[in-house]
Amino acid sequence: WKEPVAGDAPALVIHPPDGQVPNLTEQARDSVRYYREHLHDTFANMESGDRCLSRGVFGMMMPTAYNNGKLFVQAPGVVIIHSEMIHNARIIPVGDSPHVDTDIRQWEGDPRGHWEGDTLVVEVTNFSDKTFGTQQPAGTYRGGGRDQRVIERFTRVDARTIRYEFTIEDPMRWTRSFSGEFPFVRMDEQLYEYACH
């Protein structure tokens, strides 16, 4: 499966109705400014994608200029989304297991999924403040607030299309939540290893 290449589709944001990503909070603007000014002072200030560690949930799922392939694998109690870019794999437990303790923070958060009819709903919490990158539509992004939460919905609408919907809540970073959607379209090509340097 692959998402459309940026520019192939209209804006991803569907809420708020004006189609605009909300403003950053003052604290978030200060953080973005700092990391732009000090990007190469130390490896820890470099984007995690540039370091070939992770592009984070947003970077992994959003359309980019290339390497947009995704492999969805479903097994009992788990869904895995393997991304062509940086060879990332998201492992999503499906069922009624609780999130890990709030003191445990992870690069791509702690996902938990459940089914609502034919739709896989994934709630992601417990993001690490170390994830850092330019991740559309969220823009330059450094970690998240303790209250950051992402809700994703995957719905198979026909034999070749999965509708992907997301809502981002992060009161430390954004002045309000926002939502977007786009289709993943089935591809018949093989995914190859992504060699990151």
Side-chain angles (χ1 to χ4, degrees), residues 30-110:
D30 290 344
S31 175
V32 168
R33 188 177 308 110
Y34 175 84
Y35 285 105
R36 282 186 183 154
E37 292 171 0
H38 299 279
L39 181 61
H40 296 103
D41 291 358
T42 172
F43 71 92
N45 287 3
M46 293 177 62
E47 293 185 8
S48 49
D50 287 347
R51 294 171 58 202
C52 301
L53 299 172
S54 170
R55 293 177 62 228
V57 172
F58 306 128
M60 180 179 171
M61 301 305 293
M62 295 300 124
T64 60
Y66 61 97
N67 292 110
N68 285 315
K70 306 280 182 282
L71 175 64
F72 289 79
V73 178
Q74 183 178 350
V78 68
V79 169
I80 299 168
I81 304 173
H82 179 255
S83 177
E84 183 176 22
M85 180 69 84
I86 303 189
H87 223 54
N88 244 15
R90 292 180 64 195
I91 300 171
I92 303 167
V94 177
D96 58 2
S97 64
H99 286 281
V100 298
D101 187 275
T102 56
D103 288 335
I104 298 172
R105 299 291 163 166
Q106 301 179 66
W107 287 91
E108 294 164 3
D110 180 48

